Amino acid sequence: MERKSITVQGIVQGVGFRPFVYHLALRLGLDGFVKNRAGCVLIEAEGDRATLHRFLDELESQAPPLSRIDKVESQPLPVRSERGFRIEYSDRETPGQIFISPDFATCPDCLAELFDPADRRFQYPFLNCTNCGPRLTIITGAPYDRRSTTMANFAMCSACQAEYDDPADRRFHAQPIACPACGPRLAVLTPDGQSISTDQPLRFFVQRILEGGIGALKGLGGFHLVCDARNDQTVGELRRRKQRDEKPFAIMVRDIDHACELCEINDDERALLESRQRPIVLLRKRRDETSHAYRLAEGLAPGNPCLGVMLPYTPLHHLLMKAVSDTPLVMTSGNRADEPSAYLDDDAIERLSDIADVLLTHNRPIHVRCDDSVSRCVDGVELPLRRSRGYAPQPIKLPFECPYPIIAVGGQLKNVFALGHGQQAFLSQHLGDLDHFAAYRAFERDINLYEQLFNVQPKLIAHDLHPDYASTAFARRRADNHGHKLFGVQHHHAHMASCMAEHGLDEPVIGVSFDGTGYGTDHAIWGGEFLVGDYSQFTRAAHFRNVRLPGGDAAIREPWRIAISQLLDAGCADFSLKGVSSHQRRTIEQMVQRGFHSPFTSSVGRLFDAVAAIAGVRTEVAYEGQAAMQMEWLATDTAKDGTYPFELMPEQTVPIRWNAFCNVPPPQVLPEFELTSDAIDTRPLIRAVVRDVRQHVSVDLIARRFHSTLTEIIVKVCHRIRTETQLQTVVLSGGVFLNAILTRDVCAELKFDGFRVFRHRLVPPGDGGLSLGQLAVAAKVAGLSRAGG
């Protein structure tokens, strides 16, 4: 007989892991116990050697579906000759790394109960079990027990308590367990927060929606604004009240069959839609819309060939979608414009009272606001646009350990922060743009919350180099107040490192980093970068030609400004832009010539804007990236038909020694060499686009040629870098690689040319993944510094 102490680390709390261990031990005839500790599950198991070996094998091979085991350690203990196996109360005092599960969609077992008239939870909107339901959004502390959730004030009835205490029950130690007798309840309110007397709050809400009203629905991680997706007038009114003129609305449909009625869905997209994360998935609209069972409102996604579609992911959603008789519903964030979504009842009443006609809420508090995730599939691989509900805060394993706790505070837009502890990176949910004070307050609050939840006290803060980012100001202020070390990471180096980290790479790479704006080491605005390096250092191997960005941020909202700058640079000053007056043009020309409020930029995102304006696609945008998205939409169904000209202009030669990058370079890489830094001259490209416009070439073909040109540039530059460095590995990052055409074409061409190509699949390529790269860079450099490297 032997006895072992077994520690299991990973996502093993709140996912049915202790009941699984309990049943496994009983089946194998082992004695001992299992309990939660901070950051792990502790098991003491006693039995013969062969049975213990089998127990350890099945512990990993048959673990619950929502769990993720990162590490199993076992040590021998003296035999105690006890009888039986039990589940013990959690040890709240023991320090350790803590893992918290994301919120997951309703499981099939709970869904069957929801619609079973004989079940005591029939049509109960808050049923859940150990395999589904709220986690992150209700947790207030660690370890994950009911007393550390917003369910703490709901005393279990005798029936729920019996299920909770029964190791054979699916709800054994399911912390949010509830039923109609003891759990949360729905309530329907007027816009000013007055309770509406009804014993059928969901029915009342549904009736108002089907009559053409706009509702605010309290969900898992916040409020949604809801209306009939077929009603043109209501959708238009929602846009007016929400102050969201053109940005697409997401919709919810009852099931996958209804989604297929509206969109073209392949097997990978189907799997993503039906996954336990249940993100909003960007899908191609069916092109035979007139034959559909549904006719969607024109204002749902204006000019967009895609729809953002999600399936119900809570019992309340399932009941709602059944009650509306399969009507597709707009399901958009409960906010005005780009503010953070409301998640507290009082805040929702205050901020949504002049948007919603009726509110459907409940008395289960949301402790952590968590927006819907947004994703798409490109060549069978998930490409995240927004990583939030269903994904956060599931950690991403780093290729090396953090020498001490680190926090990376991300960027200004699409902010996500990351905590680094051990070999794990814990990324927050999507927090939004820190331009909004409400978003910044949520950023500060949730950093404190995550540090408390994960028991992490950072010693170093990694931040962007941009001096005016709110996240950078936060880092500096906190360093001053608490004595933390500061570590600045260049924006595009962080993008490159983000893609490397999620793939577990720790080697020199060619980093292609294309986005809208990022602060460069020369104080210019970068955004079209080819980097050579690893985590600890990088060299700018090539970049797009610098042009003036007249008006700075104003040029992002008005692409005609950067178009005039590009036209002047290319010698096409006589070309007239549609909708731009002579006075506007003269003003911009003077700003460019004098360099007044016109920083230099190498941004590919701004190049997209310029070409879109020149081609007549649009000269102003209603939301970030709109012009580039429309260029992608135009090119989607257009066959390849040539490229535009460009030139590589050598700027300087940089001596490189690989020991500056890594301790042991790969054997195929030259130990030292000279790297030629190129500027990609886009003036021939602009002149060719102007020529096509004057010859009345279709905008679809111009958009397709532009995409093909960018692909050719990437392949040619990477080939030149490989010739000088022998590097074969390319990582693609930055918001431009949310573009499916570019991502697909570049990957195919580079792989055909013999490169190893990596693109994002776990975090967004845009600024939503920035903090992962900041964290990886800071951890690597801090580790080398501690080791004397």
Side-chain angles (χ1 to χ4, degrees):
M1 299 293 291
E2 295 182 355
R3 187 178 183 90
K4 287 185 179 291
S5 171
I6 303 164
T7 302
V8 185
Q9 295 180 349
I11 300 177
V12 289
Q13 295 187 14
V15 292
F17 199 84
R18 287 178 300 164
F20 157 70
V21 172
Y22 174 83
H23 287 293
L24 178 60
L26 288 184
R27 179 164 57 83
L28 296 179
L30 296 175
D31 302 311
F33 67 85
V34 59
K35 69 177 179 179
N36 279 342
R37 302 181 81 175
C40 66
V41 164
L42 174 65
I43 306 165
E44 288 194 14
E46 189 171 307
D48 64 78
R49 179 175 298 177
T51 304
L52 285 172
H53 277 301
R54 182 178 174 187
F55 176 77
L56 286 169
D57 287 341
E58 294 189 16
L59 193 67
E60 297 193 64
S61 64
Q62 298 183 20
L66 300 190
S67 67
R68 192 188 86 183
I69 296 175
D70 289 332
K71 191 176 185 180
V72 177
E73 294 180 323
S74 65
Q75 294 181 338
L77 292 173
V79 174
R80 293 170 55 177
S81 299
E82 62 181 331
R83 291 290 177 265
F85 198 91
R86 64 192 182 278
I87 295 178
E88 292 191 349
Y89 283 109
S90 300
D91 183 351
R92 301 174 68 90
E93 305 302 326
T94 305
Q97 193 169 62
I98 295 168
F99 295 82
I100 296 171
S101 169
D103 304 271
F104 286 126
T106 308
C107 71
D109 290 332
C110 283
L111 196 58
E113 293 174 345
L114 183 67
F115 293 109
D116 180 2
D119 194 276
R120 72 186 189 93
R121 292 185 175 87
F122 175 58
Q123 294 188 344
Y124 181 58
F126 304 100
L127 86 168
N128 60 82
C129 70
T130 54
N131 295 321
C132 67
R135 298 291 191 276
L136 171 67
T137 53
I138 64 169
I139 195 166
T140 60
Y144 178 69
D145 285 325
R146 190 178 182 93
R147 55 187 166 172
S148 297
T149 73
T150 60
M151 290 295 295
N153 292 329
F154 293 92
M156 283 183 272
C157 66
S158 58
C160 284
Q161 187 70 57
E163 293 171 326
Y164 184 88
D165 293 335
D166 182 3
D169 195 279
R170 195 176 84 253
R171 292 186 171 89
F172 177 64
H173 282 213
Q175 308 307 335
I177 186 174
C179 75
C182 65
R185 298 183 179 183
L186 294 175
V188 64
L189 308 177
T190 63
D192 60 358
Q194 299 300 310
S195 179
I196 297 174
S197 179
T198 174
D199 59 353
Q200 295 288 338
L202 178 59
R203 182 180 298 175
F204 186 98
F205 182 81
V206 166
Q207 182 178 354
R208 192 70 187 89
I209 296 300
L210 294 181
E211 289 172 350
I214 296 169
L217 174 71
K218 185 178 180 181
L220 196 59
F223 279 80
H224 283 107
L225 291 169
V226 183
C227 73
D228 185 344
R230 306 167 304 175
N231 191 319
D232 286 286
Q233 183 176 349
T234 305
V235 170
E237 181 62 15
L238 176 58
R239 287 200 175 279
R240 187 190 68 79
R241 295 183 190 179
K242 188 175 162 67
Q243 298 174 17
R244 183 167 170 168
D245 294 336
E246 298 183 57
K247 196 172 184 179
F249 285 142
I251 64 169
M252 180 176 282
V253 296
R254 181 176 177 180
D255 54 32
I256 192 67
D257 292 335
H258 292 89
C260 290
E261 289 284 340
L262 295 168
C263 300
E264 301 168 357
I265 302 176
N266 61 36
D267 290 343
D268 299 307
E269 292 164 336
R270 183 188 185 106
L272 186 56
L273 270 172
E274 296 184 312
S275 70
R276 60 177 179 260
Q277 289 85 7
R278 291 288 170 100
I280 297 170
V281 181
L282 296 191
L283 302 170
R284 187 69 186 271
K285 294 177 185 175
R286 285 199 175 276
R287 278 160 274 194
D288 55 337
E289 287 189 62
T290 54
S291 65
H292 291 169
Y294 310 119
R295 187 194 67 78
L296 296 177
E298 292 291 333
L300 200 62
N304 192 334
C306 297
L307 274 177
V309 180
M310 61 178 155
L311 300 182
Y313 56 84
T314 70
L316 179 56
H317 288 147
H318 285 283
L319 293 170
L320 172 65
M321 296 312 297
K322 183 176 182 181
V324 297
S325 302
D326 303 331
T327 300
L329 295 179
V330 170
M331 196 73 66
T332 188
S333 53
N335 57 9
R336 178 178 282 101
D338 295 320
E339 297 173 350
S341 298
Y343 71 99
L344 302 174
D345 287 12
D346 290 345
D347 185 44
I349 292 168
E350 179 181 346
R351 291 203 283 140
L352 305 181
S353 61
D354 56 352
I355 301 177
D357 301 311
V358 61
L359 286 82
L360 183 64
T361 184
H362 54 77
N363 59 342
R364 184 180 71 196
I366 298 170
H367 192 66
V368 179
R369 177 176 60 84
C370 195
D371 293 331
D372 294 317
S373 295
V374 184
S375 203
R376 72 189 304 181
C377 286
V378 177
D379 281 350
V381 180
E382 183 176 0
L383 177 61
L385 282 74
R386 182 168 75 199
R387 183 182 186 268
S388 201
R389 176 190 49 77
Y391 297 85
Q394 186 163 331
I396 294 171
K397 191 173 182 180
L398 296 170
F400 38 76
E401 290 210 0
C402 299
Y404 39 73
I406 299 171
I407 184 169
V409 295
Q412 183 76 2
L413 305 179
K414 301 177 180 64
N415 184 268
V416 169
F417 63 81
L419 291 177
H421 185 41
Q423 206 171 342
Q424 306 295 338
F426 299 92
L427 273 66
S428 76
Q429 72 279 15
H430 169 81
L431 293 170
D433 297 349
L434 300 187
D435 294 332
H436 295 280
F437 181 62
Y440 180 76
R441 284 192 302 175
F443 164 78
E444 286 190 315
R445 172 191 176 276
D446 286 353
I447 283 179
N448 292 330
L449 177 66
Y450 268 60
E451 289 174 349
Q452 183 257 322
L453 291 179
F454 292 103
N455 193 28
V456 172
Q457 296 301 318
K459 295 184 178 180
L460 184 148
I461 307 178
H463 62 87
D464 194 271
L465 294 181
H466 199 299
D468 296 330
Y469 277 4
S471 55
T472 302
F474 168 85
R476 290 174 175 166
R477 186 165 55 254
R478 183 159 176 180
D480 290 340
N481 293 339
H482 299 283
H484 297 320
K485 299 177 183 176
L486 282 176
F487 189 90
V489 183
Q490 198 280 323
H491 193 90
H492 301 92
H493 186 202
H495 275 313
M496 181 184 86
S498 175
C499 189
M500 292 172 64
E502 72 165 70
H503 286 281
L505 299 176
D506 189 9
E507 62 186 75
V509 301
I510 301 169
V512 184
S513 187
F514 289 0
D515 65 0
T517 56
Y519 195 75
T521 55
D522 59 357
H523 311 299
I525 299 174
W526 291 8
E529 312 306 314
F530 292 83
L531 308 180
V532 170
D534 66 354
Y535 297 105
S536 62
Q537 194 173 340
F538 72 92
T539 293
R540 196 182 190 196
H543 64 88
F544 278 69
R545 177 180 171 85
N546 283 324
V547 296
R548 294 286 185 178
L549 186 65
D553 288 347
I556 299 173
R557 299 184 294 271
E558 299 175 332
W560 60 268
R561 292 170 175 259
I562 185 65
I564 291 174
S565 182
Q566 288 279 5
L567 289 167
L568 287 172
D569 187 55
C572 300
D574 60 334
F575 182 82
S576 297
L577 290 174
K578 293 179 181 178
V580 178
S581 70
S582 58
H583 173 71
Q584 289 175 312
R585 186 182 188 98
R586 283 195 302 271
T587 300
I588 297 304
E589 288 175 349
Q590 290 174 1
M591 290 177 68
V592 170
Q593 290 163 1
R594 298 173 184 176
F596 175 73
H597 195 33
S598 301
F600 280 113
T601 183
S602 59
S603 168
V604 172
R606 302 290 77 81
L607 182 61
F608 261 99
D609 289 348
V611 173
I614 293 168
V617 175
R618 67 181 312 122
T619 55
E620 296 183 356
V621 298
Y623 55 90
E624 185 197 8
Q626 186 180 14
M629 291 178 195
Q630 287 194 234
M631 291 286 284
E632 179 185 356
W633 304 338
L634 289 166
T636 296
D637 293 321
T638 306
K640 294 181 181 180
D641 185 11
T643 60
Y644 292 124
F646 61 91
E647 294 182 21
L648 299 185
M649 309 290 289
E651 283 192 324
Q652 59 180 327
T653 300
V654 182
I656 299 294
R657 289 178 58 86
W658 275 120
N659 61 1
F661 291 91
C662 55
N663 294 329
V664 183
Q668 75 274 12
V669 177
L670 297 174
E672 49 185 281
F673 54 89
E674 289 189 341
L675 179 66
T676 303
S677 177
D678 289 334
I680 300 151
D681 189 350
T682 53
R683 291 175 296 182
L685 183 159
I686 296 297
R687 289 192 287 267
V689 171
V690 168
R691 184 167 56 250
D692 272 358
V693 173
R694 284 173 168 162
Q695 292 176 357
H696 305 291
V697 173
S698 71
V699 290
D700 296 20
L701 186 53
I702 291 173
R704 177 67 256 193
R705 287 175 177 172
F706 178 64
H707 280 79
S708 297
T709 303
L710 290 179
T711 300
E712 185 179 356
I713 289 171
I714 293 170
V715 172
K716 187 170 183 177
V717 173
C718 287
H719 190 275
R720 194 270 301 162
I721 294 173
R722 180 173 64 182
T723 300
E724 295 187 358
T725 67
Q726 304 304 304
L727 287 174
Q728 300 275 0
T729 303
V730 178
V731 298
L732 308 175
S733 192
V736 168
F737 287 104
L738 290 170
N739 184 306
I741 297 174
L742 192 63
T743 298
R744 186 183 298 115
D745 288 357
V746 168
C747 287
E749 293 290 336
L750 287 175
K751 288 176 181 178
F752 181 79
D753 207 21
F755 287 95
R756 296 168 62 221
V757 187
F758 296 89
R759 64 177 178 88
H760 286 274
R761 54 185 172 75
L762 299 181
V763 301
D767 285 4
L770 199 66
S771 61
L772 175 61
Q774 293 172 344
L775 177 61
V777 170
K780 184 68 173 183
V781 173
L784 290 174
S785 177
R786 172 173 278 195

